[in-house]
């Protein structure tokens, strides 16, 4: 156990988790959890960077944790915890805020995209989002951070802050913060919207039809796939740049069925959209049903879920406190005698 490298990752409890969260993130954690010491955070402080509803935040925090487990995360070997339960996240975030040049932040692509979506209502928190994420990662001395392609830039930022703004400036000998590396999974790291194959499947898309939620009923799945964007070609293809929707649905089908992309391409080379949509609908229902069953059991046992989160919090808190103390001491914050 001691020699295992550590990973940390998280998903925001905004809205319901969808297929992109599962295939692009959680599924990868499941394959990594045996090999790595795994910390998984429900990043509720990130969830308030867009307008939020308090009741929904509470519910979504619990359901996100339950879905981690329903998707195959084993709470006996992983630490699952809620970000806001560990005050060190906010505290390190403040310190890193003060160490980070504004012009580094102005390059963040996701901020630009999200701030366009949010119009006049963009908060400083949204701008700072990547710094809070850096704090999440750096607090746990994470060796690796499994993330989707779109989070690569945020991870780069965390590395630059740790290396250039903390380690290089405040310690001549031993590094204060560990420099994390990304793990970007090859397939599925970017699942696209059902109604626009050039955009990522996202919780913040106002159109529900753009995504399959993990808790969608068979009827809803079927309706969403029926309405999903298709094109006028016959046969499904993966590498035709003019057919992003075909690529996306083939990728989803391939991951869920466990068949190679090339095999799927062969199988569906002459299949029309109508038939393919029926098949992918059946596959989705079949793949999501065990997750939904496990979820139901968990969410109806709040006591057990609570215990899992308490245990996760204790392990996380221990580590986070140590890192924060190290940083504060190196930066010169006065420590009171006992
Ligand atoms: N920003 C990440 C996302 O949207 C979520 C996140 C927050 C995260 N803190 C993290 C991911 C720390 C990995 C590690 O997907």
């Amino acid at each position: 156990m001691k020699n295992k490298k550590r990973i940390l990752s998280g998903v925001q409890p905004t809205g319901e988790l969808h297929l992109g969260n599962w295939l692009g993130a959680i599924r990868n954690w499941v394959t990594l959890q045996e090999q790595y010491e795994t910390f998984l955070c429900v990043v509720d402080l990130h969830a308030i960077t867009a307008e939020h509803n308090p009741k929904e935040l509470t519910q979504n925090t619990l359901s996100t944790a339950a879905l981690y487990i329903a998707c195959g995360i084993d709470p006996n070997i992983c630490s699952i915890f809620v970000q806001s339960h560990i005050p060190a996240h906010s505290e390190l975030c403040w310190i890193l805020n003060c160490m980070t040049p504004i012009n580094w932040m102005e390059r963040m692509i996701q901020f630009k995209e999200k701030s366009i979506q949010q119009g006049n209502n963009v908060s400083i928190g949204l701008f700072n989002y990547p710094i809070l994420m850096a704090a999440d990662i750096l607090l746990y001395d994470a060796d690796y951070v499994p993330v989707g392609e779109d989070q690569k830039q945020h991870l780069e930022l965390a590395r630059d802050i740790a290396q250039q703004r903390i380690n290089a400036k405040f310690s001549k000998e031993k590094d204060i913060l560990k420099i994390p590396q990304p793990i970007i999974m090859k397939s599925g790291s970017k699942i696209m919207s059902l109604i626009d194959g050039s955009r990522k499947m996202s919780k913040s898309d106002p159109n529900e039809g753009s995504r399959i939620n993990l808790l969608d009923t068979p009827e809803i799945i079927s309706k969403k796939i029926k309405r999903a964007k298709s094109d006028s070609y016959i046969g499904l293809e993966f590498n035709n740049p003019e057919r992003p929707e075909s690529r996306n649905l083939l990728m989803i089908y391939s991951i869920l069925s466990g068949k190679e992309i090339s095999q799927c391409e062969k199988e569906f080379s002459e299949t029309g959209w109508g038939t393919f949509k029926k098949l992918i609908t059946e596959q989705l229902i079949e793949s999501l049903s065990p997750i939904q069953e496990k979820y139901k059991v968990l969410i109806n046992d709040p006591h057990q879920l609570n215990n899992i989160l308490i245990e996760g919090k204790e392990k996380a808190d221990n580590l986070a406190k140590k890192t924060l103390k190290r940083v504060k001491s190196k930066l010169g914050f006065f420590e009171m005698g006992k």
Side-chain angles (χ1 to χ4, degrees):
M1 184 76 184
K2 276 225 177 77
N3 301 326
K4 279 190 180 171
K5 299 267 186 200
R6 186 176 298 143
I7 58 177
L8 176 128
S9 199
V11 166
Q12 278 191 57
T14 346
E16 276 186 50
L17 294 199
H18 54 67
L19 204 60
N21 299 123
W22 178 35
L23 301 185
I26 303 172
R27 184 179 62 106
N28 304 330
W29 308 344
V30 173
T31 64
L32 298 167
Q33 64 182 338
E34 304 267 352
Q35 191 186 344
Y36 294 96
E37 188 189 357
T38 304
F39 283 80
L40 299 172
C41 188
V42 179
V43 291
D44 56 347
L45 294 170
H46 278 110
I48 64 166
T49 55
E51 202 162 76
H52 85 287
N53 170 314
K55 265 207 194 102
E56 283 173 13
L57 179 63
T58 315
Q59 267 166 14
N60 289 336
T61 300
L62 269 183
S63 74
T64 300
L67 276 170
Y68 285 1
I69 302 166
C71 290
I73 294 299
D74 179 353
N76 295 312
I77 55 172
C78 301
S79 304
I80 303 172
F81 65 101
V82 177
Q83 185 187 33
S84 69
H85 293 173
I86 315 280
H89 289 249
S90 306
E91 203 173 341
L92 183 62
C93 178
W94 175 254
I95 293 174
L96 300 183
N97 276 341
C98 298
M99 300 298 134
T100 307
I102 283 205
N103 68 350
W104 289 13
M105 301 301 293
E106 284 166 346
R107 298 185 205 130
M108 294 295 120
I109 296 163
Q110 197 172 63
F111 173 73
K112 289 183 202 166
E113 288 172 355
K114 285 199 180 172
S115 56
I116 293 171
Q117 265 176 22
Q118 294 188 14
N120 284 331
N121 214 2
V122 177
S123 71
I124 293 285
L126 187 69
F127 188 63
N128 269 355
Y129 179 116
I131 301 200
L132 179 59
M133 177 165 162
D136 298 343
I137 296 164
L138 299 171
L139 273 177
Y140 298 94
D141 290 331
D143 295 285
Y144 296 101
V145 183
V147 282
E149 189 67 37
D150 65 312
Q151 295 298 311
K152 228 163 124 184
Q153 193 187 30
H154 291 164
L155 198 75
E156 271 307 308
L157 179 82
R159 289 164 53 88
D160 289 346
I161 297 174
Q163 183 51 45
Q164 298 173 37
R165 294 281 149 167
I166 301 285
N167 290 351
K169 271 185 140 166
F170 297 102
S171 176
K172 296 274 166 310
E173 320 98 45
K174 222 172 147 242
D175 278 353
I176 304 168
L177 292 171
K178 182 166 236 166
I179 310 300
Q181 313 250 16
I183 300 185
I184 312 255
M185 302 308 265
K186 279 184 252 69
S187 92
S189 77
K190 213 169 176 190
I191 299 294
M192 313 307 276
S193 157
L194 297 181
I195 53 170
D196 177 355
S198 65
R199 287 178 38 194
K200 202 185 143 193
M201 186 178 282
S202 160
K203 285 181 252 188
S204 48
D205 191 321
N207 188 336
E208 266 288 323
S210 68
R211 58 186 166 264
I212 302 281
N213 293 323
L214 297 184
L215 300 176
D216 279 349
T217 60
E219 294 71 39
I220 292 179
I221 294 174
S222 165
K223 215 187 268 165
K224 285 179 176 172
I225 294 294
K226 267 199 198 116
R227 293 190 187 148
K229 190 170 170 203
S230 59
D231 56 34
S232 53
Y233 293 74
I234 295 191
L236 276 289
E237 290 177 281
F238 193 68
N239 282 321
N240 185 342
E242 280 166 22
R243 306 188 63 196
E245 289 78 22
S246 162
R247 180 192 177 88
N248 188 41
L249 290 187
L250 258 188
M251 164 128 82
I252 293 172
Y253 187 88
S254 148
I255 298 173
L256 294 181
S257 65
K259 294 181 195 164
E260 295 287 335
I261 298 264
S262 56
Q263 194 187 339
C264 299
E265 261 191 314
K266 253 189 230 148
E267 200 176 324
F268 301 124
S269 64
E270 288 172 15
T271 309
W273 275 98
T275 310
F276 178 70
K277 279 188 168 184
K278 264 195 211 116
L279 291 170
I280 195 172
T281 300
E282 282 166 17
Q283 181 64 56
L284 278 162
I285 294 170
E286 185 188 317
S287 301
L288 289 178
S289 107
I291 293 179
Q292 297 181 351
E293 275 169 33
K294 202 160 172 205
Y295 173 82
K296 247 186 246 150
V297 174
L298 284 156
I299 210 72
N300 287 319
D301 187 356
H303 184 67
Q304 191 200 354
L305 204 51
N306 199 51
N307 282 344
I308 290 171
L309 293 178
I310 291 176
E311 230 175 84
K313 182 205 145 149
E314 278 165 8
K315 283 203 209 127
D317 208 26
N318 259 333
L319 276 176
K321 267 190 191 139
K322 281 192 196 132
T323 311
L324 182 65
K325 190 163 190 267
R326 208 162 68 223
V327 171
K328 285 174 80 175
S329 141
K330 286 287 188 185
L331 264 61
F333 287 96
F334 174 65
E335 285 169 87
M336 209 137 53
K338 290 212 173 111

